[in-house]
Amino acid sequence: MALEPNRQSVYLDYAASAPLHPKVREAMDPWLDPVHAGNPSAVHRAGRQARTALEDARDRIADALGIHPLDVLFTSGATEANNLAIAGALQGDAQAHVIAGATDHPSVIEPLTYAQTQGRCTLTWCTPMPVGNPDCGVIPAEHVTAALTPQTRLVVGTLVTSELGAIQPISNWLNAMSVHDEQANHPIWSHIDATQGIGRVPLEDIAARCTSMAISAHKLGGPQGVGVCIVRRNKTIISPILGGGQERGIRSGTIPVALCVGAGEAIAHAVNNQQREQQRIQVLSDSLVDGLTGTSWTPTVRSPHRVANIVHLTAPDTDTETAVMALDRAGVYVSAGTACQSGALKTSPLIKAIGLAPTQATLRLSMGWASTTQDIAQAVSALTKMAAGTAATGNMGSCVF
Ligand code: PMP
């Protein structure tokens, strides 16, 4: 299919998926060539070369995070990593108590809810601080402490909430759990969904201390369809995926070398350049928020709780889907700030969790490696015109850009 040329467009949906970084493309390129089409499990030279490239990618990820390479397992993405880790943590226990965040990604919420309906666990959802609170979006460690019971076997923490961009105090959560572990005398499995946090916020302390962690390559300029599940090498997971026993038997299936090489490059590059790149993104993010001051668009999560690259906005008495489509017509690509608000009868879990009015529009603008000041200027201009148009006509769809 030929793609539409769209040179005027502004892509501000990196939290959904980022464009492939040129360094990643370059790293992957040789492994897309038929000459290198080896299966990394094969014993011939092509297979051995593929295995070397694969293990090099694994080492790069481990080095970037300061962990052992044997803890790094390649998966198809963070959805699979979250599912595998949750399956591992719940295996063996007749009925485990689990704590997770009410604003976690569906790939955390759905497997937990399913396990609950099967009678395999009971659940406590920790809710974030509501709209209007200076810490809006944050789930404080005290909420986790209050939820811990002698039966708690798993705590799932999301480092950065994908819709809101709220940074969760995961190190404090891990401290609360270790105090509890000492008193209760049994270890709790800590699983961290780091998908939106890696390369954006410091992670080494968390990577060293958690039991498992989910990462996705495509949020960072890596290819879609590959991610990482970090699982301590002393843990076994009776995997729902049975087959050839690859990746410690936890993730059977031929390992896609080119994708893993791309993931290695994307993750290592994002983590190793994090400080410089996040400073650059912070400037863009601040100019976006400053540029919207005085309009009806208000950022939901305030600094310092907001990750630099995600800005969640609300506007009163406005329809989200209309706003997203109006921006689309102006060439500005953003996502709805809630997973299932538009046209749905069901209220989004996010709206319920932080107490947003259902009549508010919610947008998520997210930036990344190719975002520029011009992109932000164009987005601010479109959002400002839209807000002015809405005020004048009460209808965003009528805005002319
Ligand atoms: N967790 C979070 C926090 C996410 O934002 C996403 C992607 N939207 C996922 C998990 C799932 O990632 P993937 O697309 O790699 O399955």
Side-chain angles (χ1 to χ4, degrees), residues 63-67 201-209 271:
D63 284 352
L65 296 176
I67 58 172
V201 295
L203 187 75
E204 273 194 30
D205 165 61
I206 297 164
R209 294 167 71 202
V271 173

PDB file of all heavy atoms in Angstrom, residues 63-67 201-209 271:
ATOM      1  N   ASP A  63      23.526  -4.000  30.159  1.00  0.00           N
ATOM      2  CA  ASP A  63      24.510  -2.966  30.558  1.00  0.00           C
ATOM      3  C   ASP A  63      23.809  -1.641  30.817  1.00  0.00           C
ATOM      4  O   ASP A  63      24.095  -0.955  31.790  1.00  0.00           O
ATOM      5  CB  ASP A  63      25.551  -2.739  29.447  1.00  0.00           C
ATOM      6  CG  ASP A  63      26.570  -3.859  29.408  1.00  0.00           C
ATOM      7  OD1 ASP A  63      26.536  -4.702  30.327  1.00  0.00           O
ATOM      8  OD2 ASP A  63      27.354  -3.895  28.444  1.00  0.00           O
ATOM      9  N   ALA A  64      22.892  -1.273  29.920  1.00  0.00           N
ATOM     10  CA  ALA A  64      22.199   0.022  30.069  1.00  0.00           C
ATOM     11  C   ALA A  64      21.417   0.066  31.376  1.00  0.00           C
ATOM     12  O   ALA A  64      21.304   1.121  32.002  1.00  0.00           O
ATOM     13  CB  ALA A  64      21.275   0.264  28.882  1.00  0.00           C
ATOM     14  N   LEU A  65      20.885  -1.085  31.796  1.00  0.00           N
ATOM     15  CA  LEU A  65      20.044  -1.109  33.003  1.00  0.00           C
ATOM     16  C   LEU A  65      20.803  -1.574  34.242  1.00  0.00           C
ATOM     17  O   LEU A  65      20.232  -1.616  35.338  1.00  0.00           O
ATOM     18  CB  LEU A  65      18.834  -2.028  32.774  1.00  0.00           C
ATOM     19  CG  LEU A  65      17.879  -1.574  31.677  1.00  0.00           C
ATOM     20  CD1 LEU A  65      16.773  -2.589  31.465  1.00  0.00           C
ATOM     21  CD2 LEU A  65      17.275  -0.223  32.036  1.00  0.00           C
ATOM     22  N   GLY A  66      22.069  -1.965  34.055  1.00  0.00           N
ATOM     23  CA  GLY A  66      22.878  -2.409  35.198  1.00  0.00           C
ATOM     24  C   GLY A  66      22.400  -3.734  35.776  1.00  0.00           C
ATOM     25  O   GLY A  66      22.432  -3.937  36.991  1.00  0.00           O
ATOM     26  N   ILE A  67      21.944  -4.646  34.899  1.00  0.00           N
ATOM     27  CA  ILE A  67      21.471  -5.953  35.386  1.00  0.00           C
ATOM     28  C   ILE A  67      22.214  -7.076  34.661  1.00  0.00           C
ATOM     29  O   ILE A  67      22.996  -6.822  33.742  1.00  0.00           O
ATOM     30  CB  ILE A  67      19.940  -6.117  35.177  1.00  0.00           C
ATOM     31  CG1 ILE A  67      19.581  -5.955  33.698  1.00  0.00           C
ATOM     32  CG2 ILE A  67      19.168  -5.121  36.046  1.00  0.00           C
ATOM     33  CD1 ILE A  67      18.142  -6.291  33.379  1.00  0.00           C
ATOM     34  N   VAL A 201      12.928   8.446  32.681  1.00  0.00           N
ATOM     35  CA  VAL A 201      13.245   8.684  34.095  1.00  0.00           C
ATOM     36  C   VAL A 201      14.287   7.652  34.531  1.00  0.00           C
ATOM     37  O   VAL A 201      14.357   6.564  33.962  1.00  0.00           O
ATOM     38  CB  VAL A 201      11.988   8.589  35.004  1.00  0.00           C
ATOM     39  CG1 VAL A 201      10.979   9.671  34.699  1.00  0.00           C
ATOM     40  CG2 VAL A 201      11.322   7.233  34.908  1.00  0.00           C
ATOM     41  N   PRO A 202      15.125   8.013  35.546  1.00  0.00           N
ATOM     42  CA  PRO A 202      16.158   7.064  35.986  1.00  0.00           C
ATOM     43  C   PRO A 202      15.520   5.752  36.457  1.00  0.00           C
ATOM     44  O   PRO A 202      14.484   5.751  37.114  1.00  0.00           O
ATOM     45  CB  PRO A 202      16.843   7.789  37.148  1.00  0.00           C
ATOM     46  CG  PRO A 202      16.521   9.233  36.940  1.00  0.00           C
ATOM     47  CD  PRO A 202      15.175   9.273  36.283  1.00  0.00           C
ATOM     48  N   LEU A 203      16.184   4.667  36.119  1.00  0.00           N
ATOM     49  CA  LEU A 203      15.532   3.361  36.256  1.00  0.00           C
ATOM     50  C   LEU A 203      16.424   2.317  36.927  1.00  0.00           C
ATOM     51  O   LEU A 203      15.944   1.260  37.332  1.00  0.00           O
ATOM     52  CB  LEU A 203      15.197   2.914  34.820  1.00  0.00           C
ATOM     53  CG  LEU A 203      14.377   1.703  34.550  1.00  0.00           C
ATOM     54  CD1 LEU A 203      12.921   2.014  34.854  1.00  0.00           C
ATOM     55  CD2 LEU A 203      14.504   1.311  33.098  1.00  0.00           C
ATOM     56  N   GLU A 204      17.723   2.632  37.053  1.00  0.00           N
ATOM     57  CA  GLU A 204      18.668   1.588  37.462  1.00  0.00           C
ATOM     58  C   GLU A 204      18.339   0.981  38.811  1.00  0.00           C
ATOM     59  O   GLU A 204      18.395  -0.232  38.995  1.00  0.00           O
ATOM     60  CB  GLU A 204      20.092   2.142  37.488  1.00  0.00           C
ATOM     61  CG  GLU A 204      20.744   2.027  36.141  1.00  0.00           C
ATOM     62  CD  GLU A 204      22.239   2.239  36.190  1.00  0.00           C
ATOM     63  OE1 GLU A 204      22.852   1.918  37.218  1.00  0.00           O
ATOM     64  OE2 GLU A 204      22.767   2.748  35.191  1.00  0.00           O
ATOM     65  N   ASP A 205      17.982   1.859  39.781  1.00  0.00           N
ATOM     66  CA  ASP A 205      17.678   1.382  41.124  1.00  0.00           C
ATOM     67  C   ASP A 205      16.501   0.398  41.072  1.00  0.00           C
ATOM     68  O   ASP A 205      16.526  -0.668  41.692  1.00  0.00           O
ATOM     69  CB  ASP A 205      17.347   2.609  42.000  1.00  0.00           C
ATOM     70  CG  ASP A 205      16.683   2.220  43.299  1.00  0.00           C
ATOM     71  OD1 ASP A 205      17.327   1.486  44.068  1.00  0.00           O
ATOM     72  OD2 ASP A 205      15.537   2.632  43.547  1.00  0.00           O
ATOM     73  N   ILE A 206      15.499   0.749  40.271  1.00  0.00           N
ATOM     74  CA  ILE A 206      14.287  -0.081  40.173  1.00  0.00           C
ATOM     75  C   ILE A 206      14.616  -1.384  39.443  1.00  0.00           C
ATOM     76  O   ILE A 206      14.205  -2.468  39.869  1.00  0.00           O
ATOM     77  CB  ILE A 206      13.170   0.708  39.460  1.00  0.00           C
ATOM     78  CG1 ILE A 206      12.794   1.935  40.300  1.00  0.00           C
ATOM     79  CG2 ILE A 206      11.954  -0.151  39.201  1.00  0.00           C
ATOM     80  CD1 ILE A 206      11.993   2.980  39.560  1.00  0.00           C
ATOM     81  N   ALA A 207      15.383  -1.279  38.360  1.00  0.00           N
ATOM     82  CA  ALA A 207      15.735  -2.484  37.583  1.00  0.00           C
ATOM     83  C   ALA A 207      16.523  -3.467  38.443  1.00  0.00           C
ATOM     84  O   ALA A 207      16.400  -4.675  38.293  1.00  0.00           O
ATOM     85  CB  ALA A 207      16.526  -2.091  36.346  1.00  0.00           C
ATOM     86  N   ALA A 208      17.331  -2.937  39.351  1.00  0.00           N
ATOM     87  CA  ALA A 208      18.143  -3.812  40.200  1.00  0.00           C
ATOM     88  C   ALA A 208      17.298  -4.483  41.278  1.00  0.00           C
ATOM     89  O   ALA A 208      17.631  -5.573  41.733  1.00  0.00           O
ATOM     90  CB  ALA A 208      19.264  -2.997  40.854  1.00  0.00           C
ATOM     91  N   ARG A 209      16.189  -3.847  41.685  1.00  0.00           N
ATOM     92  CA  ARG A 209      15.464  -4.348  42.860  1.00  0.00           C
ATOM     93  C   ARG A 209      14.182  -5.111  42.549  1.00  0.00           C
ATOM     94  O   ARG A 209      13.733  -5.901  43.375  1.00  0.00           O
ATOM     95  CB  ARG A 209      15.111  -3.168  43.774  1.00  0.00           C
ATOM     96  CG  ARG A 209      16.340  -2.520  44.381  1.00  0.00           C
ATOM     97  CD  ARG A 209      15.999  -1.183  45.006  1.00  0.00           C
ATOM     98  NE  ARG A 209      15.223  -1.327  46.218  1.00  0.00           N
ATOM     99  CZ  ARG A 209      14.449  -0.365  46.735  1.00  0.00           C
ATOM    100  NH1 ARG A 209      14.351   0.791  46.134  1.00  0.00           N
ATOM    101  NH2 ARG A 209      13.777  -0.565  47.839  1.00  0.00           N
ATOM    102  N   VAL A 271      18.467   4.950  26.978  1.00  0.00           N
ATOM    103  CA  VAL A 271      18.920   5.013  28.384  1.00  0.00           C
ATOM    104  C   VAL A 271      20.249   5.790  28.475  1.00  0.00           C
ATOM    105  O   VAL A 271      20.403   6.657  29.329  1.00  0.00           O
ATOM    106  CB  VAL A 271      19.053   3.593  28.979  1.00  0.00           C
ATOM    107  CG1 VAL A 271      19.682   3.635  30.365  1.00  0.00           C
ATOM    108  CG2 VAL A 271      17.685   2.913  29.044  1.00  0.00           C
TER     109      VAL A 271
END
